[in-house]
Amino acid sequence: MVLIARVPTKQIFVGTVPVGGGAPISTQSMAYSQTCDIEATKGQIDRLKLAGADFVRVAVRHKKDANALKELKKVASLPLIADIHFHHHLALIAAESVDGIRINPGNIGSKDKIEAVAKACSARNLPIRIGVNGGSLEKQFEIKYGASAEGMVQSALYNIKLLEDAGFNNIKISLKASDVERTIQAYEQLRPLIAYPFHLGVTEAGSLFHASIKSAMALGHLLRQGIGDTVRVSITGELEEEIRVAKAILRYSGRQKEGITFISCPTCGRIESNLVALMAQVEQRLAHIKIPLDVSVMGCVVNALGEAKHADIAIAFGKKSGLIIKKGQVIHKLPEDQLLETFVAEVQALANQHQNEEKYAKI
């Protein structure tokens, strides 16, 4: 299936990170520490930076959280987005320090309060994300439309108008439901109606297993349709897993050319080694490589030459020995205790070669 061109959208900036307007699709997560605990929050942000996140959201629930943002910004290794509900005065404090605000104008209060937040964000060129959640629609839309995609779309249009009426259009939008179908329908229905960039996500998606599947189905479908400018995979689990899954979805949807694409055979009766453990070691040892490569990991040598010939490089584990295959040609036949180390070195050398070729091509 041909990859559909991305839908053209307005470009905004979260700090120095462009979102929309053809910019690379960015990844993000949300710290779960108390934001006023600067040391703990900095630690989580550093973890996300190391995992490859582009920016991070922090909860601003109380005035002490808002007041902490100025110091947190000084030590944060990623651009900061303040997540705020109901209390417009917290948004005004946050706007003095952060790189973006997440609110729903409809629950901020009166027109004067919305205008005050819009003015504060305009003064520092901060974007506002309107975050529509299928489980907490404004009452008027829930009564009229129920828990439907149409209700989510109408909520988004309502909140967009509140900001536009305040003279503000530095906006991105999310329309998150906890199920795949409503999430897809909401984004697809709203996309033709506005030009603002989209933040994709399935909310309250569950543990790593469930969230990965839901997110892959919903986000993968939307990304293949050309919809989406930044993504968050919501997981009840560790922060790094959100970025890891998000990057995998971007890679396998064809929207990101970065990192290793693994090809590995299923377990079967021909396997003569502990393929599950060996595959885990290969993934761990090669996790740092950002150059796009197809790497095949095979559990026997019977089908390796055929099934791995289209990979950039492959390893085939056999009984106490194995093969390393590059572009379909065997380059090493080694005993088991030498195989993995040699393979890691060969993959690194190939990545370095590709990186140098890219640099030369740009000169």
Side-chain angles (χ1 to χ4, degrees), residues 208-227:
L208 176 61
F209 175 80
H210 298 285
S212 298
I213 294 172
K214 287 182 183 180
S215 298
M217 293 178 70
L219 275 58
H221 172 85
L222 291 165
L223 290 166
R224 293 286 302 178
Q225 298 303 310
I227 296 172

Side-chain angles (χ1 to χ4, degrees), residues 36-58:
C36 58
D37 186 341
I38 293 173
E39 184 178 355
T41 307
K42 178 189 181 302
Q44 292 188 7
I45 294 171
D46 288 345
R47 286 168 54 192
L48 286 167
K49 170 77 172 179
L50 189 62
D54 295 296
F55 43 90
V56 62
R57 185 159 42 113
V58 296

Side-chain angles (χ1 to χ4, degrees), residues 52-114:
D54 295 296
F55 43 90
V56 62
R57 185 159 42 113
V58 296
V60 181
R61 299 189 298 167
H62 311 289
K63 191 171 182 179
K64 61 183 179 180
D65 291 328
N67 290 334
L69 292 171
K70 184 176 182 179
E71 292 304 313
L72 180 61
K73 176 60 182 170
K74 292 177 182 178
V75 298
S77 53
L78 291 172
L80 290 179
I81 295 175
D83 186 273
I84 296 163
H85 296 272
F86 304 111
H87 304 296
H88 96 289
H89 66 282
L90 298 182
L92 298 179
I93 298 170
E96 297 174 1
S97 306
V98 297
D99 301 292
I101 302 284
R102 188 271 195 188
I103 60 169
N104 278 354
N107 69 29
I108 284 294
S110 65
K111 179 181 177 182
D112 289 346
K113 292 178 179 178
I114 295 169

Side-chain angles (χ1 to χ4, degrees), residues 9 28 47 71 91 105 112 145 150 197 207 213 237 319 322 331 354:
T9 63
Q28 58 182 284
R47 286 168 54 192
E71 292 304 313
D112 289 346
Y145 300 102
E150 187 176 3
S207 63
I213 294 172
K319 188 175 182 179
I331 60 171
H354 283 210

Side-chain angles (χ1 to χ4, degrees), residues 44-282:
Q44 292 188 7
I45 294 171
D46 288 345
R47 286 168 54 192
L48 286 167
K49 170 77 172 179
L50 189 62
D54 295 296
F55 43 90
V56 62
R57 185 159 42 113
V58 296
V60 181
R61 299 189 298 167
H62 311 289
K63 191 171 182 179
K64 61 183 179 180
D65 291 328
N67 290 334
L69 292 171
K70 184 176 182 179
E71 292 304 313
L72 180 61
K73 176 60 182 170
K74 292 177 182 178
V75 298
S77 53
L78 291 172
L80 290 179
I81 295 175
D83 186 273
I84 296 163
H85 296 272
F86 304 111
H87 304 296
H88 96 289
H89 66 282
L90 298 182
L92 298 179
I93 298 170
E96 297 174 1
S97 306
V98 297
D99 301 292
I101 302 284
R102 188 271 195 188
I103 60 169
N104 278 354
N107 69 29
I108 284 294
S110 65
K111 179 181 177 182
D112 289 346
K113 292 178 179 178
I114 295 169
E115 289 178 347
V117 174
K119 183 178 179 180
C121 290
S122 292
R124 294 193 58 240
N125 197 31
L126 303 182
I128 291 176
R129 171 161 73 93
I130 294 172
V132 175
N133 189 312
S136 56
L137 295 178
E138 295 89 347
K139 188 164 290 186
Q140 67 265 36
F141 301 115
E142 187 172 3
I143 291 171
K144 185 173 182 179
Y145 300 102
S148 67
E150 187 176 3
M152 294 168 65
V153 170
Q154 293 304 315
S155 172
L157 292 172
Y158 165 75
N159 282 284
I160 289 168
K161 188 174 187 304
L162 290 176
L163 284 182
E164 290 180 336
D165 287 349
F168 191 88
N169 63 5
N170 193 3
I171 298 169
K172 67 178 183 288
I173 315 291
S174 66
L175 301 126
K176 299 183 181 182
S178 57
D179 60 277
V180 171
E181 185 174 3
R182 272 190 306 158
T183 299
I184 290 174
Q185 289 176 348
Y187 282 110
E188 288 186 337
Q189 288 176 26
L190 183 62
R191 183 68 287 170
L193 305 180
I194 63 168
Y196 297 119
F198 275 178
H199 164 127
L200 300 187
V202 178
T203 192
E204 300 157 357
S207 63
L208 176 61
F209 175 80
H210 298 285
S212 298
I213 294 172
K214 287 182 183 180
S215 298
M217 293 178 70
L219 275 58
H221 172 85
L222 291 165
L223 290 166
R224 293 286 302 178
Q225 298 303 310
I227 296 172
D229 303 286
T230 181
V231 302
R232 182 197 177 187
V233 173
S234 298
I235 297 174
T236 306
E238 288 304 323
L239 299 166
E240 292 88 348
E241 293 294 348
E242 293 197 353
I243 304 304
R244 183 168 177 257
V245 175
K247 287 186 171 293
I249 291 171
L250 288 172
R251 187 182 308 128
Y252 295 127
S253 67
R255 293 300 179 189
Q256 183 186 76
K257 302 298 183 184
E258 180 181 286
I260 290 176
T261 296
F262 284 104
I263 304 156
S264 65
C265 60
T267 52
C268 76
R270 289 192 297 270
I271 291 176
E272 296 178 307
S273 59
N274 187 350
L275 181 62
V276 175
L278 290 166
M279 180 66 193
Q281 290 182 57
V282 171

